[in-house]
């Protein structure tokens, strides 16, 4: 062994020292890399997290846009409301908090738990609202007990206000908290959990115009989450102002005219196609949804046999009854199958094949021409004329007048009705069309279906001489600074080419329906205003008293749900029309006594007649 060689123990210690030195150097390198990552790569992120420990971003909800009528009256608005909300990150004992809140809010604790669960998808920074639109006394009580309710905050949020209650409820629709399903499809449009969104009606279809831009408030808080000071604020921008074609006073009087009856009514400006009133009864209070409707109340609305959520004016499909005789008469004259002065004998029934088709007047109308047939609503005259015409030519005229089609309004579940023809029946049932079906269709029964809006369009097209206007609800949209974003103009869908003498003959007969003592529509007379119209009765079911040999039942002997629907269409003034109206009263039995008086009230409001007296003279009923 060389004299200068290291001892075995020294060599071992040297290797250990080198390993220790390497490990220390590696540790310092890793620490340096971590420090570089934290300060350089992720510095901004951790700086934001640190600031979030002492700052809080509070979203400021934007008021939705206001809906106005054509004269500037407010229809739907927004107002500030107090909401009870909870910050999840500050809640340690959720069950205790919800139990305490339930007692103070006088709500079932299960309801609060359900609300909490349904809103679990809200962003973590966003408070979860548990109760909306509470009164000020309760706000003060909760504020006094804030220390016993950790995480509780009282937010002042805009809520939807419907100052006229149920008026036009199905038309305006309602709003509600955005659902998880909606959020998945609308996140890229800036929606977040907790936002309010239109759920039905105009609130839904005009969402892009009515929705405002959310603001933000950045506040500084202490370790207990209490606000110390406000750092910055970005104000919310309210939604746009939407001006509708509706007339508030006309809408209100039309709804009042229905009383407790179910049904629908539509009033149109015959010169533009603008919808002046759209009624569907019964209705509901849309404010229930703005405040956060409970499951029980929601289920009651869904289960209601009168279907208050349905907009009958556009989705209710009814046999138009004798109001459809306007179509048949115009088609017969246009196709040259009859003349206004041709007489047809009505003995109360017409034999077609092996079946008698009866007139509503069992004793018959005797010799009847076009004027008398419309004025007194003779069924036999129209049976005869319909057989000569054939179903295809009747259907052609009906479609020219706006039936059997939808109009694309910004509303839910608009239906197109049904105008049958040979091809339709062959495709639907695989069978041929029969003459008896033509006769029934010619008086608006059988397969024929129409909505109240379609009947109003039909009437307006006749009243203005054949111009089929696109029905309109939206007139103008302005931003909160008054700049016009959208301006609607009347749009003509097509022109119906009537022969002047033919149209005049029908219009004179419609004027006689109301103005002549023998007319079925006398209940729609107005002092100083010539009104033209047509009554109608739509059969719900065929009763035994309709069959030969059976005693005719009195109205009050028929169960309500089995009674006929009552219809009436009208326009005025008769010579230079401005407004057209269609009314249906479900199970009202007779258009002359149930629907015509409602049309009279609507027309009276339009022409500024405060209290029109109904015609008290005896007359025929249909």
């Amino acid at each position: 062994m060389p004299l200068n060689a290291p001892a075995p123990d020294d060599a071992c210690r040297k290797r250990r020292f080198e390993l220790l030195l390497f490990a220390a150097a590696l540790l310092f390198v890793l620490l340096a890399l971590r420090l570089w990552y934290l300060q350089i790569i992720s510095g901004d992120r951790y700086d934001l997290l640190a600031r979030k420990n002492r700052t809080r971003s509070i979203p400021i909800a934007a008021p939705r846009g206001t809906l106005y009528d054509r004269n500037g009256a407010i229809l739907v608005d927004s107002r500030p409301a107090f909401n009870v909300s909870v910050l999840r990150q500050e809640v340690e004992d959720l069950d205790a908090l919800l139990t305490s809140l339930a007692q103070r809010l006088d709500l079932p604790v299960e309801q609060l738990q359900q609300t909490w669960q349904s809103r679990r998808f809200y962003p973590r920074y966003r408070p979860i609202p548990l109760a909306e639109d509470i009164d000020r006394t309760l706000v003060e009580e909760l504020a006094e007990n804030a220390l016993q309710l950790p995480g509780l905050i009282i937010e002042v949020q805009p809520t939807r206000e419907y100052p006229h209650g149920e008026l036009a409820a199905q038309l305006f629709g309602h709003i509600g908290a955005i659902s998880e399903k909606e959020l998945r499809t609308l996140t890229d449009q800036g929606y977040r959990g907790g936002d309010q969104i239109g759920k039905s009606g105009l609130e839904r279809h005009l969402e892009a115009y009515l929705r405002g831009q959310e603001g933000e408030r950045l506040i500084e808080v202490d370790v207990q989450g209490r606000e110390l000071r406000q750092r910055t604020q970005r104000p919310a921008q309210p939604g746009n102002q939407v001006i509708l074609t509706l007339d508030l006073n006309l809408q209100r009087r039309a709804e009042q005219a229905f009383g407790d009856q179910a049904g629908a009514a539509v009033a149109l400006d015959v010169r533009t196609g603008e919808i002046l009133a759209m009624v569907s009864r019964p209705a509901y209070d849309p404010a229930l949804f703005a405040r956060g409707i409970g499951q029980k109340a929601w289920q009651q609305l869904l289960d209601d046999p009168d279907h208050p959520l349905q907009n009958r004016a556009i989705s209710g499909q009814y046999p138009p009854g004798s109001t459809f005789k306007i179509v048949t008469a115009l088609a017969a004259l246009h196709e040259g199958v009859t003349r206004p002065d041709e007489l047809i004998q009505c003995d109360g029934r017409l034999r077609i094949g092996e079946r008698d088709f009866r007139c509503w007047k069992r004793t018959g109308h005797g010799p009847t021409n076009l004027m008398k047939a419309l004025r007194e609503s003779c069924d036999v005259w129209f049976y005869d004329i319909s057989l000569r015409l054939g179903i295809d030519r009747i259907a052609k005229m009906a479609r020219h007048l706006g039936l059997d089609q939808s109009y694309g309004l910004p509303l839910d579940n608009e239906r197109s009705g049904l105008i049958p023809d040979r091809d339709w029946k062959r495709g639907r049932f695989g069978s041929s069309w029969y003459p008896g079906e033509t006769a029934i269709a010619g008086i608006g029964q059988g397969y024929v279906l129409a909505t109240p809006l379609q009947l109003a369009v039909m009437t307006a097209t006749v009243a203005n001489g054949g111009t089929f206007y696109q029905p309109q609800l939206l007139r103008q949209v302005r931003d909160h600074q008054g700049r016009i974003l959208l301006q609607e103009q009347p749009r003509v869908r097509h022109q119906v080419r009537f022969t002047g003498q033919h149209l005049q003959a029908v219009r004179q007969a419609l004027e006689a329906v109301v103005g002549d003592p023998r007319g079925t529509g006398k209940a729609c007379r107005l002092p100083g205003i010539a009104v033209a119209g047509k009554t109608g009765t739509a059969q719900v079911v065929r009763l035994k008293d309709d069959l030969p040999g059976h005693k005719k039942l009195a109205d009050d002997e028929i169960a309500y749900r089995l009674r006929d629907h009552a219809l009436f269409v009208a326009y005025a003034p008769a010579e230079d029309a401005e407004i057209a109206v269609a009314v249906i009263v479900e199970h009202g039995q007779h258009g002359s006594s149930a629907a015509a008086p409602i049309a009279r009230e609507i027309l009276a409001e339009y022409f500024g007649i405060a209290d029109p007296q109904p015609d008290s003279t005896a007359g025929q009923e249909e």
Side-chain angles (χ1 to χ4, degrees), residues 32 38 65 80 150-151 171 224 231 245 260 279-280 312 336 339 346 401 457 525 538 600 608 616:
L38 293 175
L171 177 62
Q224 293 181 328
R231 297 184 61 179
T245 62
D260 295 331
V279 176
S280 179
R312 287 166 160 81
R339 304 181 314 276
C346 172
L401 293 174
V457 169
R525 287 180 184 172
R600 182 187 68 240
S616 58

Side-chain angles (χ1 to χ4, degrees), residues 83-87 91 93-110 112-113 116 128-131 134 138 141-143 145-146 148-154:
N83 295 345
V84 177
S85 301
V86 172
L87 290 165
V91 177
D93 189 339
L94 177 61
D95 291 337
L97 174 64
L98 295 182
T99 301
S100 179
L101 271 179
Q103 295 174 349
R104 299 177 190 278
L105 297 174
D106 194 23
L107 293 172
V109 68
E110 294 80 13
L112 295 183
Q113 290 170 341
W116 181 277
I128 291 184
L130 293 179
I134 65 173
L138 195 52
E141 179 183 342
L142 292 174
N145 295 275
Q148 286 77 45
L149 301 167
L152 180 77
I153 61 172
I154 304 296

Side-chain angles (χ1 to χ4, degrees), residues 222-238:
D222 62 16
V223 293
Q224 293 181 328
R226 293 176 297 194
E227 181 177 342
L228 298 176
R229 63 185 64 85
Q230 180 173 294
R231 297 184 61 179
T232 61
Q233 178 169 319
R234 175 170 52 83
Q237 299 295 323

